[in-house]
Amino acid sequence: MAMIDEPLYPIAVLIDELKNEDIQLRLNSIRRLSTIARALGEERTRKELIPFLSENNDDDDEVLLAMAEELGVFVPYVGGVEHANVLLPPLEGLCSVEETCVRDKAVESLCRIGSQMREADLLEFFIPLVKRLAAGEWFTARVSSCGLFHIAYPSASETLRNELRTIYSQLCQDDMPMVRRAAATNLGKFAATVEPAHLKTDIMSMFEDLTQDDQDSVRLLAVEDCAALGKHLEPQDCVAHILPVIVNFSQDKSWRVRYMVANQLYELCEAVGPEATRTDLVPAYVRLLRDNEAEVRIAAAGKVTKFCRILSPELAVQHVLPCVKELSSDSSQHVRSALASVIMGMAPVLGKDATIEQLLPIFLSLLKDEFPDVRLNIISKLDQVNQVIGIDLLSQSLLPAIVELAEDRHWRVRLAIIEYIPLLASQLGVGFFDDKLGALCMQWLKDKVFSIRDAAATNVKRLAEEFGPEWAMQHIIPQVLDMINDPHYLYRMTILHAISLLAPVMGSEVTCSKLLPVIVETAKDRVPNIKFNVAKVLQSLVPIVDQPVVEKTIRPCLVELSEDPDVDVRYFANQGLQAIEQVMMSS
Amino acid sequence: MNGGDGGEVTAAPPAGPPPPLEWKFSQVFGERTAGEEVQEVDIISAIEFDKTGDHLATGDRGGRVVLFERTDMKEHGGSRRDIERMDYPVSRHPEFRYKTEFQSHEPEFDYLKSLEIEEKINKIRWCQTANGALFLLSTNDKTIKFWKVQEKKVKKISEMNIDPSKVVGNGSASSSTVSSSPKPYLANGAYPDRSYSCLNNDMTFPPGGIPSLRLPVVVTSTETSLVARCRRVYAHAHDYHINSISNNSDGETFISADDLRINLWNLEISNQSFNIVDVKPANMEDLTEVITSAEFHPTHCNMLAYSSSKGSIRLIDLRQSALCDSHSKLFEEQEAPGSRSFFTEIIASISDIKFAKDGRYILSRDYMTLKLWDINMDSGPVATFQVHEYLRPKLCDLYENDSIFDKFECCLSGDGLRVATGSYSNLFRVFGCATGSTEAATLEASKNPMRRQVQTPTRPSRSLSSSITRVVRRGAESPGVDANGNSFDFTTKLLHLAWHPVENSIACAAANSLYMYYA
């Protein structure tokens, strides 16, 4: 055993723990691999540490994942770019483990290293590695290889490039669907590095193979390739080769493929350009909006606004709007919900008249939807609504919906609406808020569900922040303080919580004059839970109020509580007193 | 090779269909000695060959999975592929040896529903092998688990910077044999007392590194050990008992079916599954039909079939919609008018379905018959094989002792020419299903599988009155088998069996014993 000097002890332990039986310790050591590397020096890192890691790649996935990640940023520790190639062997091993996330990370790290490597090194080390992986016995290695071609290709010679393209095309036809999926996923990246001449021939024929794959799971990944390839093709080639594929995909037998088209629609439109979008993709999109499968309609509905933005208003009104009308009364609540979350954005596209005439009825019907999510989605985009239809119309139709949601029997719905209240308040302004919503905010403080009361207290604070202390003095503080005498101790507790949140917003003066007396009064409550919460609140007030107030009011009150028969009350009271001492000491 | 040549082939093979097979005993694992009582936990509840046929897995009621590996091909050296390419005479039959076993499921208790969850393995399915490791899915009534079984070289750490023996007093020293005592470090891996703070990135090291530090030396021994690790647990997705799991040909998804629902999973995602079939009626009193078995098409990733307690098989196309409550094809046989009885519906219930390897045919097993369906023909089965028609007069007794609800499995040979299923008295039956084939054999899961067909004077109570050794009339019972009705033992039933994917070899379970036959 080597003698280890005292200062080196921690690093020695760290190194030893690379092989500890406890996974947490191994993980810890791997995460500090750079420290170990620096302690060993660059040369020994290259000659000992990296080979050591290559040999020990049968560890738990968590450790391997961490190793794959660390090695990606390891170039400086092995002596810079000229030695980067020593990092390839351990990562190559990690590229064929069966856990996908480890492989993905290893590929990511290899790409990162490969993009720094010198051209000669890429030729000597990186490209052979890609070829080895692509010819791997197990599908795992072949899957990983697909993600490396775009790094290898640019520095390859003409013949080598031919070879790489051939290999990739074989991967696109691999027996294993997993490999074909990986090839489809990475085709766009690879295509970006391929010369235009080969792009039109080789890559397009691989793409064609993938688009006709038997496996839905492969075809649906080819949908993404449409957009990616489209970016690298000339517009006319794009229309000639990509557009028919998209149109076909939009009528694919498999709903999952159609779903992908609906989901990728915007990117696909960008790929083929506005002209082809208008002529060919509008009918395709309309079909998707009327698809049999709700999942497809959900995806399509979510893209309504983005799609309409590329179209002229006339086309949008003529083709898309009728579908939108149908969707607003779709049988699937999720479709309506998806529509509700984007439909507001259509207003600027259609212009004011069309909006009032066509969109408003849809909007109002969604606002009255029986499904809370739909209503919430509309309300959350209220700023856009406001701009379009104006506050009066809005308040007429909006208010009943909000009130209804505020009293929904599902507490999660109530919670969601409470969280929107400050936003609503800022959008609607003080006047509107006072009339209609103020009472609701107070009502929530007495909700049956704790989470709602808790959220209500936070809401009150945020309102005070939004409208300022003066407004709060009038509209919040009196009402809140009123409720401190509620017969139910849980409600009194909520009020205490609200007060503690309000105090920092209201400032020292209001706190001393209005809030503190109430709290001190509450310290005489008969319920211990209230009393120790008083102690906690008092402690939180110490930094807010002035020194004399602490001495005159807070301390005596805490002292009194510290003699309470209840142990918890005494505990928190003493905590408060200690906090006061600390503030005294530091000031 | 021993035993099992008692059957003489008398039926001359017809010109068209393949000649009938002569089944011979190959191996038995866990054979019962006379008078030995079978432990409930040892009873085999699932059998499955992997795709290559090089491995066989069994599951038992005690929640264990036992793996066997083929031995008869490895002796000749070279890789498996080379051997397969060689025109090697198939003089040898598949032989297996015990490989390893592991505890897949443990008994559990569902506190919310006050239900015991048995550890019994209901189904095993093999997944794609990768990196020399075996992967399989096993399920009990509620929870599916994904297992990886891998040979690992035993590694030992021989040298370290710090002598483990010297730092025992220090509490948290590293050593190759760390105790499992309460860990001295915090959850995030940092030590509470011995701080690593001096190891921050500001720490400077000499440019050449510190020569006295060294990496642990790991010595790899030639010893290997098989390690089974549970990689994922797919739980909490089934309200009812899982009866089937099946892998998809896309290599990334699988389904699990319970009485009322079928869920679709991604192998890599264990916390989320998609319900693709739901036959639960709004009111459970309207329930008339449950799902009994489900299987993916062997090559079309979008197709799957499931069977029901009413005797129908539904083919669904996952491409049509996300929730496939409406089938794309329905296979059921119209019952003959006037034949309806109290038992009609019970015996129509399908206990198992299997796709043939080419995906064109589906084999189904109901209580009385095996039926072969062509997925292109939904008017009726292309062939029906009577498995134990002789029990028809006894349905009342079978109902009373619950035997009528026994769930027999069925299997097809890799070439699709034959089908097999189990029966009572540890018998199983093999039928030829090629056009014109009249092959129908009854075999006993014992060392002498043909005993059923020949006079066996040593055991007169089980003797058969008929002298013909092979019944050649297609679909007919050997007439003598039930000459003496109580010769059938309803407690010894052969429920589980599997056909080797590429050779004529059958593995079947008789209680706790695994019998293997070849032809």
Side-chain angles (χ1 to χ4, degrees), chain A residues 93-117:
Chain A
L94 293 174
C95 274
S96 46
V97 301
E98 74 273 359
E99 184 59 47
T100 311
C101 62
V102 176
R103 287 203 309 268
D104 289 350
K105 189 57 86 178
V107 168
E108 191 187 315
S109 289
L110 274 176
C111 290
R112 185 180 292 195
I113 294 169
S115 58
Q116 300 169 48
M117 280 168 76

Side-chain angles (χ1 to χ4, degrees), chain A residues 537-565:
Chain A
V537 174
L538 284 175
Q539 185 184 340
S540 75
L541 294 185
V542 170
I544 300 168
V545 298
D546 298 331
Q547 202 66 260
V549 183
V550 173
E551 284 304 318
K552 222 177 85 203
T553 325
I554 296 184
R555 189 194 284 273
C557 184
L558 282 172
V559 167
E560 196 178 318
L561 288 170
S562 71
E563 287 151 11
D564 196 89

Side-chain angles (χ1 to χ4, degrees), chain A residues 347-581:
Chain A
V349 181
L350 298 183
K352 184 153 185 172
D353 290 344
T355 299
I356 302 267
E357 198 179 313
Q358 314 260 10
L359 213 51
L360 192 59
I362 299 175
F363 160 54
L364 289 179
S365 89
L366 289 171
L367 201 51
K368 290 183 195 114
D369 200 280
E370 56 180 2
F371 186 56
D373 268 16
V374 179
R375 287 172 283 170
L376 279 174
N377 281 346
I378 291 281
I379 288 169
S380 65
K381 297 279 158 59
L382 222 67
D383 46 342
Q384 290 167 344
V385 186
N386 197 356
Q387 285 162 16
V388 180
I389 63 170
I391 192 77
D392 291 338
L393 203 48
L394 183 69
S395 58
Q396 269 175 33
S397 46
L398 182 68
L399 201 66
I402 292 180
V403 171
E404 208 180 309
L405 285 171
E407 289 162 353
D408 198 283
R409 67 193 176 85
H410 298 292
W411 66 267
R412 283 173 209 279
V413 175
R414 299 202 296 275
L415 189 62
I417 194 85
I418 292 175
E419 277 157 7
Y420 279 122
I421 288 292
L423 180 74
L424 269 179
S426 68
Q427 285 168 2
L428 301 177
V430 175
F432 180 79
F433 184 85
D434 286 349
D435 295 348
K436 321 281 183 188
L437 298 176
L440 277 177
C441 292
M442 295 304 138
Q443 183 186 321
W444 284 320
L445 283 168
K446 290 173 135 192
D447 199 277
K448 281 199 289 262
V449 176
F450 169 76
S451 293
I452 300 295
R453 297 197 300 272
D454 195 49
T458 312
N459 174 47
V460 166
K461 180 196 84 169
R462 286 172 65 188
L463 286 174
E465 283 169 348
E466 180 68 38
F467 294 140
E470 275 169 43
W471 177 87
M473 228 10 248
Q474 271 196 346
H475 295 91
I476 290 188
I477 301 291
Q479 288 89 329
V480 169
L481 293 184
D482 238 16
M483 282 188 263
I484 197 71
N485 297 318
D486 194 283
H488 199 311
Y489 87 98
L490 285 175
Y491 296 152
R492 297 201 294 279
M493 209 129 90
T494 307
I495 300 304
L496 267 181
H497 179 53
I499 291 175
S500 75
L501 289 172
L502 280 168
V505 183
M506 302 305 290
S508 156
E509 198 182 316
V510 177
T511 304
C512 296
S513 62
K514 294 276 178 189
L515 305 180
L516 202 51
V518 177
I519 298 171
V520 170
E521 189 60 29
T522 318
K524 301 191 183 80
D525 204 285
R526 63 199 155 78
V527 179
N529 294 33
I530 298 290
K531 287 192 278 190
F532 73 65
N533 272 296
V534 166
K536 283 196 216 169
V537 174
L538 284 175
Q539 185 184 340
S540 75
L541 294 185
V542 170
I544 300 168
V545 298
D546 298 331
Q547 202 66 260
V549 183
V550 173
E551 284 304 318
K552 222 177 85 203
T553 325
I554 296 184
R555 189 194 284 273
C557 184
L558 282 172
V559 167
E560 196 178 318
L561 288 170
S562 71
E563 287 151 11
D564 196 89
D566 188 275
V567 61
D568 291 325
V569 178
R570 290 202 302 277
Y571 172 80
F572 284 107
N574 282 321
Q575 292 263 301
L577 288 170
Q578 273 171 24
I580 293 176
E581 291 307 322

Side-chain angles (χ1 to χ4, degrees), chain B residues 410-428:
Chain B
C410 59
C411 58
L412 290 116
S413 63
D415 53 17
L417 296 177
R418 292 178 184 83
V419 297
T421 191
S423 178
Y424 292 104
S425 308
N426 280 345
L427 294 179
F428 64 98

Side-chain angles (χ1 to χ4, degrees), chain B residues 99-115:
Chain B
K99 187 179 171 82
T100 185
E101 69 176 78
F102 56 90
Q103 189 72 37
S104 169
H105 287 73
E106 303 272 0
E108 282 174 85
F109 192 80
D110 182 340
Y111 293 95
L112 285 176
K113 291 179 183 156
S114 281
L115 275 179

Side-chain angles (χ1 to χ4, degrees), chain B residues 10-149:
Chain B
T10 54
L21 297 173
E22 188 182 340
W23 288 95
K24 298 187 188 73
F25 170 76
S26 163
Q27 281 175 295
V28 57
F29 293 95
E31 192 187 16
R32 235 186 319 161
T33 51
E36 183 192 338
E37 200 157 306
V38 179
Q39 294 292 311
E40 168 85 10
V41 289
D42 291 333
I43 294 177
I44 294 172
S45 55
I47 301 183
E48 185 80 7
F49 280 105
D50 75 347
K51 221 165 44 185
T52 59
D54 290 343
H55 293 92
L56 173 68
T58 64
D60 64 26
R61 295 202 188 175
R64 284 163 300 190
V65 170
V66 185
L67 303 186
F68 299 89
E69 66 184 343
R70 192 165 175 181
T71 56
D72 57 304
M73 291 175 124
K74 287 188 178 162
E75 298 155 20
H76 303 276
S79 82
R80 190 197 315 145
R81 267 187 201 162
D82 294 340
I83 289 177
E84 274 169 0
R85 263 189 231 117
M86 267 162 36
D87 204 11
Y88 182 70
V90 217
S91 61
R92 295 188 69 91
H93 58 271
E95 270 184 35
F96 286 79
R97 70 161 171 236
Y98 171 87
K99 187 179 171 82
T100 185
E101 69 176 78
F102 56 90
Q103 189 72 37
S104 169
H105 287 73
E106 303 272 0
E108 282 174 85
F109 192 80
D110 182 340
Y111 293 95
L112 285 176
K113 291 179 183 156
S114 281
L115 275 179
E116 260 183 82
I117 303 169
E118 281 184 80
E119 66 272 34
K120 179 186 152 214
I121 306 293
N122 288 347
K123 280 278 152 56
I124 295 175
R125 285 290 179 270
W126 290 89
C127 303
Q128 191 60 53
T129 50
N131 301 338
L134 301 171
F135 293 88
L136 48 86
L137 287 168
S138 63
T139 186
N140 66 354
D141 284 341
K142 296 285 178 192
T143 308
I144 306 152
K145 293 184 180 177
F146 184 49
W147 290 92
K148 173 187 178 185
V149 182

Side-chain angles (χ1 to χ4, degrees), chain A residues 1-5 7-25 28-29 32 34-36 38-42 44 48-50 52 55-62 96-101 103 137-141 176-178 181 214-217 219 252-256 258 292-293 295, chain B residues 81 128-132 135 148 152-153 155 157-164 166-167 170 172-178 183 185 187-191 194-196 198-218 229 231-232 248-252 268 299 301-302 318-323:
Chain A
M1 292 297 153
M3 288 304 294
I4 300 297
D5 300 336
L8 289 179
Y9 187 82
I11 182 87
V13 170
L14 196 65
I15 293 175
D16 285 353
E17 280 172 357
L18 281 171
K19 291 313 288 178
N20 197 294
E21 285 203 350
D22 191 293
I23 181 179
Q24 281 304 330
L25 296 181
N28 184 47
S29 284
R32 297 171 148 273
S34 55
T35 311
I36 295 176
R38 286 188 306 128
L40 290 173
E42 291 172 356
R44 289 186 66 203
E48 294 176 36
L49 180 62
I50 301 298
F52 171 83
E55 281 162 30
N56 291 283
N57 61 0
D58 57 350
D59 211 325
D60 284 310
D61 296 330
E62 293 95 318
S96 46
V97 301
E98 74 273 359
E99 184 59 47
T100 311
C101 62
R103 287 203 309 268
E137 185 188 359
W138 302 103
F139 72 90
T140 46
M176 290 292 203
M178 299 83 152
R181 281 196 291 274
D214 285 341
Q215 293 273 348
D216 300 349
S217 55
R219 281 207 309 284
D252 196 279
K253 264 185 159 178
S254 168
W255 68 268
R256 286 165 70 197
R258 300 197 303 273
N292 279 331
E293 174 55 44
E295 298 286 341
Chain B
R81 267 187 201 162
Q128 191 60 53
T129 50
N131 301 338
F135 293 88
K148 173 187 178 185
K152 275 200 168 174
K153 290 226 166 78
K155 287 186 176 177
I157 295 113
S158 70
E159 253 179 82
M160 306 197 100
N161 286 306
I162 294 154
D163 189 345
K166 286 184 191 160
V167 281
N170 216 345
S172 53
S174 60
S175 83
S176 56
T177 53
V178 155
K183 309 281 189 294
Y185 51 84
N188 60 7
Y191 285 83
R194 190 157 47 87
S195 90
Y196 274 130
C198 59
L199 285 181
N200 57 26
N201 290 331
D202 307 332
M203 191 176 180
T204 51
F205 295 106
I210 304 157
S212 62
L213 289 172
R214 50 178 143 173
L215 291 163
V217 178
V218 179
R229 281 193 58 197
R231 305 275 308 183
R232 280 179 237 285
N248 192 345
S249 56
D250 68 6
E252 71 171 353
E268 293 188 354
T299 51
C301 63
N302 54 295
L318 294 178
R319 292 180 301 190
Q320 274 179 351
S321 68
L323 190 64

